[in-house]
């Protein structure tokens, strides 16, 4: 865990070297070892100074999230934090100089440990990052970070680093004073030693700035005019952005405000309480589960079928050079894979490549891409109208028009050219994969790869397994998604698959609320307060109300008598057919889109959907009721997807929702939210909503069975 040596000049080196891991992490075992070893050094008269460093390529990556996720006993957790705080104080006040040599990244608890050293020197390592990412997982820097950093560099500079989790490089860290020096890589230990020997020779007692007499917080504390102004503005901005859904940044701000108004040790005690509160909160548990472990497993392809050799990709075919085709081609080229970009004419195919050139050009203009790198990327995209060019492709993805006949035709033409073991994938957003596979002469190699728009940016790919799709095709397709650095979830074939189906319920519920007479401004604001990135009516405009209408018509035609009309169908028909308002693309939907200004709600909506609020109608739902409906309608549909085995694993639902349509991570995901409520409470709410609003809220049997057995989704 830790290599300990003492040299002839009395410098004890404590080299972190966590066994069997690529990174050093802080957990009970590693921290205990470190504490014991430091105590040994501090207590040894022959030791004059301590050097903390790492044997790995980075310094310390942060806290052990598995251990944090498993913390359920507040008193025990608080006590262990208190012990670590006390130890760090003993290190600072131990009378011997302590220096940290940061060869690579120091993040979270790793950076906090470095802050508790008297001197920090970093290697000039372009890959190294420094910062406090805790907030991105619902936590705060709980090892003194909220107290040491603002006392070191001032509240103004510290607040964004602590509250937003931004990671900075060595040069930036030096500039703001978070570290003392940057030296050529490989010389950081020597630089730390030189500083230690100087400190020892000076004979002065080493002290942190905040422990020196007459210490003043740089830029002023919370009770100075400047401090008050900064804190008030930060508080208001935070509230505006987060609607108080995320307790972590708020608690961090409280730690700064309350902690810096008092002495250092009281500040640490304040931080320990806020940290304990967060670490045991459902929000942190949800964010750690979905954003960290869920995504890590998805990216590692944890659910990939075993026994299938890994597929390497060198050349793929992209049919359709439209919005999606061009975006997928960009992601593929960026992964170093050649792309044949095919459309009906050479000109149309070139248009797709031109889109890529434009997007990359913007990055080049911002200095994020060199001209040479951009040329190399573009050279991998080969526009064509000739199917013969698809020869040798390991995979062909079609993103042509959403028409069965056209998709069938391009499937046949491509299969006539590509090898017999090549995969054919469809990027359809609505057409069941099993049906599309009928056009294929090798349905076992046919699969759905559903990308999101803009495909060059959106990280999720929903992989859809048709009835005939083989496990090998699934495994090899997952390899492709990983190769292009996207995150896959795997679902079984069904109308709307998983993402479109559940995302659609959010939009539909917003439209149902409109029909009930709830003011549209309240509906969309409720969506935002619920944590969704866009309100349901604004979202309907974005995806187009016409599309909502078309999908409803198609579903009605497909299901015949079994189709149950929804309020959203009536609202969409009225908007599209009666009022000619198709959504944003037509410049008119639930919102108006003036050419010279900001969009705003269409004032005439009130005439066409009579609003009941303010008319003394007690039946008008409250804000909380609207939020509950907008959120639980997604959860109940997700539970149906699990019951129908459209989803293979609950965590896929959560990862897919967060990455696919910006579902609020603090709730964990549509399943994570059921888990947070607890199944008995969730069932009670769904039963009540089903009585009030109909069967769309009716809980599937799966939830009742699980509740009866006392089970929950996430262990
Ligand atoms: P688009 O209209 O921008 O592009 C379609 C392209 O396909 C056009 O360039 C067209 O010329 C080309 N094309 C048509 N027939 C062809 C043929 N026979 N051979 C070769 N090329 C042909 O459409 P898009 O938004 O890129 O969508 C494409 C597919 O992706 C659709 O199936 C759509 O449902 C699906 N999809 C779209 C989105 C989205 O948000 N736009 C998201 C996920 C999936």
């Amino acid at each position: 865990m830790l290599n300990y040596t003492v040299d002839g000049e009395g410098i004890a080196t404590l080299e972190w070297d966590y066994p069997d891991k690529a990174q050093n992490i802080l957990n009970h075992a590693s921290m205990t070892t470190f504490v014991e070893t430091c105590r040994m050094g501090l207590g040894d008269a022959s030791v004059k100074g301590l050097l903390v460093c790492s044997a790995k390529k980075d310094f310390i990556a942060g806290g052990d999230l598995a251990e944090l996720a498993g913390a359920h006993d507040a008193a025990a957790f608080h006590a262990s934090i208190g012990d670590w705080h006390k130890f760090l104080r003993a290190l600072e006040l131990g009378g011997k100089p302590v220096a940290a040599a940061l060869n690579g990244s120091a993040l979270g608890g790793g950076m906090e440990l470095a802050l508790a050293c008297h001197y920090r020197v970093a290697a000039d390592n372009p890959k190294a990052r420094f910062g406090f990412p805790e907030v991105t997982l619902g936590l705060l820097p709980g090892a003194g970070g909220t107290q040491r950093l603002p006392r070191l560099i001032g509240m103004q500079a510290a607040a964004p680093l602590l509250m937003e989790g931004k990671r900075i490089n060595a040069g930036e860290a030096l500039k703001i004073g978070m570290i003392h020096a940057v030296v050529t890589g490989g010389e950081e230990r020597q630089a730390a030693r030189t500083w230690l020997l100087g400190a020892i020779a000076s004979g002065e007692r080493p002290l942190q700035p905040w422990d020196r007499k007459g210490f003043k917080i740089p830029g002023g504390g919370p009770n100075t005019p400047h401090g008050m102004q900064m804190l008030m503005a930060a508080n208001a901005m935070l509230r505006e952005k987060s609607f108080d859904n995320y307790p972590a940044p708020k608690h961090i701000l409280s730690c700064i405000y309350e902690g810096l108004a008092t002495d250092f040790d009281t500040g640490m005690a304040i931080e320990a309480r806020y940290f304990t509160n967060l670490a045991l909160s459902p929000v942190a548990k949800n964010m750690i589960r979905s954003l960290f472990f869920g995504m890590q497993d998805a990216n590692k392809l944890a659910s990939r079928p075993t026994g299938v050799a890994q597929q390497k990709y060198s050349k793929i075919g992209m049919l359709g050079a439209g919005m999606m085709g061009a975006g997928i081609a960009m992601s593929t080229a960026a992964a170093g894979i050649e792309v044949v970009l095919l459309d009906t004419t050479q000109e149309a195919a070139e248009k797709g490549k031109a889109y890529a050139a434009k997007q990359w050009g913007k990055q080049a203009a911002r200095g994020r891409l060199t001209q040479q790198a951009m040329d190399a990327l573009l050279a991998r995209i080969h526009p064509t109208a000739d199917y013969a060019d698809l020869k040798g492709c390991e995979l062909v993805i079609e993103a042509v028009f959403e028409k069965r006949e056209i998709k069938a035709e391009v499937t046949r033409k491509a299969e006539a050219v590509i090898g017999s073991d090549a995969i054919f994938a469809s990027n359809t957003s609505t057409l069941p994969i099993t049906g599309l596979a009928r056009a294929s002469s090798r349905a076992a190699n046919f699969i759905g790869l559903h990308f999101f728009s803009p495909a060059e940016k959106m990280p999720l790919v929903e992989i859809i397994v048709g009835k005939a799709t083989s496990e090998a095709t699934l495994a090899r397709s997952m390899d492709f998604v990983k190769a292009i650095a996207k995150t896959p979830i795997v679902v079984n074939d069904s109308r709307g698959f998983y993402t479109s189906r559940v995302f659609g319920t959010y939009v539909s519920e917003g439209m149902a609320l409109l029909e009930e007479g709830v003011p549209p401004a309240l509906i969309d604001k409720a969506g935002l307060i619920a944590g969704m990135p866009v309100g349901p009516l604004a979202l309907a405009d974005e995806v187009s109300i016409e599309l909502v209408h078309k999908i409803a018509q198609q579903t009605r035609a497909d299901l015949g008598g079994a189709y149950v009309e929804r309020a959203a169908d009536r609202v969409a028909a009225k908007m599209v057919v009666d009022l000619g308002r198709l959504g944003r693309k037509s410049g008119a939907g639930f919102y108006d889109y003036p050419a010279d200004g900001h969009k705003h709600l269409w004032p005439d909506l009130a005439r066409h959907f009579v609003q009941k609020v303010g008319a003394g109608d007690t039946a008008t739902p409250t804000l909380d009721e609207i939020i509950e409906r907008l959120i639980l309608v997604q959860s109940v549909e997700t539970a149906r997807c699990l019951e129908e085995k459209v989803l293979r694993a609950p965590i896929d639902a959560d990862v897919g929702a967060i990455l696919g349509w910006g579902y609020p991570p603090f709730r964990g995901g549509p399943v994570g939210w059921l888990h947070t409520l607890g199944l008995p409470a969730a069932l009670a709410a769904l039963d009540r909503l089903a009585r009030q609003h109909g069967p769309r809220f009716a809980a599937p049997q799966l939830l009742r069975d699980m509740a009866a057995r006392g089970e929950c989704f996430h262990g």
Side-chain angles (χ1 to χ4, degrees), residues 319-326 342-345 348-349 387 398-403 406-407 409-410 413 426-431 449-454:
L319 311 184
M323 200 166 88
M324 296 305 289
L342 183 146
D343 209 296
T344 43
T345 62
Y387 278 81
E398 71 77 13
V400 299
F401 295 142
E402 189 76 345
K403 286 247 159 44
I406 301 183
K407 292 200 186 286
E409 183 199 325
V410 302
K413 283 185 174 165
S426 173
N427 178 46
T428 177
S429 32
T430 53
L431 304 170
L449 287 180
H450 182 207
F451 289 78
F452 295 74
S453 176

Side-chain angles (χ1 to χ4, degrees), residues 361-658:
K362 282 189 209 160
Q363 287 185 33
R366 284 193 214 113
R368 293 209 194 120
L369 198 64
T370 62
Q371 186 63 43
Q372 197 187 8
M374 179 170 152
D375 292 346
L377 286 171
L378 283 169
R380 286 187 205 119
I381 300 182
H382 310 280
T384 184
D386 185 358
Y387 278 81
D389 291 345
L390 296 174
K391 200 164 187 297
C393 285
E394 292 111 0
L395 162 73
V396 171
I397 306 171
E398 71 77 13
V400 299
F401 295 142
E402 189 76 345
K403 286 247 159 44
R404 278 197 183 90
E405 319 79 68
I406 301 183
K407 292 200 186 286
E409 183 199 325
V410 302
T411 307
R412 281 190 291 268
K413 283 185 174 165
E415 284 186 354
V417 181
I418 56 180
S420 59
D421 63 344
I423 296 171
F424 191 95
S426 173
N427 178 46
T428 177
S429 32
T430 53
L431 304 170
I433 291 300
T434 307
L436 291 180
R438 284 195 202 109
S440 167
S441 58
R442 34 187 130 121
N445 290 15
F446 196 101
I447 198 161
L449 287 180
H450 182 207
F451 289 78
F452 295 74
S453 176
E456 67 275 21
K457 289 204 187 115
M458 293 291 282
L460 185 71
V461 179
E462 183 177 29
I463 303 186
I464 301 124
V465 179
K467 277 222 171 67
T469 308
S470 71
E471 289 289 280
T473 299
L474 170 60
R476 292 162 61 210
S477 302
M478 291 174 88
D479 294 338
F480 175 69
V481 175
K482 182 172 178 176
I484 61 168
K486 301 223 183 258
T487 303
I489 61 165
V490 180
V491 308
N492 292 323
D493 205 8
S494 134
R495 187 173 292 281
F497 315 126
Y498 161 63
T499 52
S500 308
R501 177 170 161 182
V502 174
F503 159 82
T505 62
Y506 170 66
V507 173
S508 304
E509 198 59 26
M511 291 163 82
L513 284 157
L514 185 69
E515 197 189 49
E516 286 169 35
V518 178
L522 180 57
I523 299 170
D524 268 9
K525 201 70 183 174
L528 297 176
I529 297 173
M532 298 291 290
V534 185
L537 301 178
L539 206 48
D541 270 10
E542 294 296 328
V543 298
S544 107
I545 310 174
E546 188 190 24
L547 184 68
V548 176
H549 178 57
K550 272 194 185 156
I551 292 176
Q553 280 181 312
Q554 184 65 50
T555 314
R556 190 192 300 265
D558 291 353
L559 297 187
Y563 186 70
V564 186
E565 191 185 67
R566 305 164 311 161
D569 302 348
R570 292 186 292 272
V571 174
K574 187 160 165 176
M575 290 296 286
V576 173
V577 182
D578 302 351
L579 303 169
R581 298 184 71 93
L582 313 188
R584 180 172 204 142
K585 64 173 182 182
S586 74
F590 293 117
Y591 286 76
D592 271 336
Y593 299 88
D596 55 348
H598 286 302
K599 72 171 188 182
H600 54 78
L601 278 162
W602 180 39
D604 283 1
L605 265 187
R607 262 195 320 117
H608 296 287
F609 299 95
V610 174
Q611 294 173 20
K612 293 183 188 152
V613 149
D617 187 342
T618 51
T620 299
T622 64
L623 178 63
D624 284 345
E625 284 167 342
I626 298 172
I627 291 174
E628 183 185 49
R629 282 172 62 177
L630 291 174
I631 291 301
L632 279 183
V633 77
Q634 299 179 64
S635 286
V636 73
E637 193 68 24
T638 301
R640 286 182 202 121
C641 288
L642 280 165
E643 184 175 73
E644 293 165 24
K645 306 227 175 329
V646 172
L647 281 164
R648 296 181 161 200
I651 192 68
D652 281 358
D654 292 345
V655 168
I658 291 170

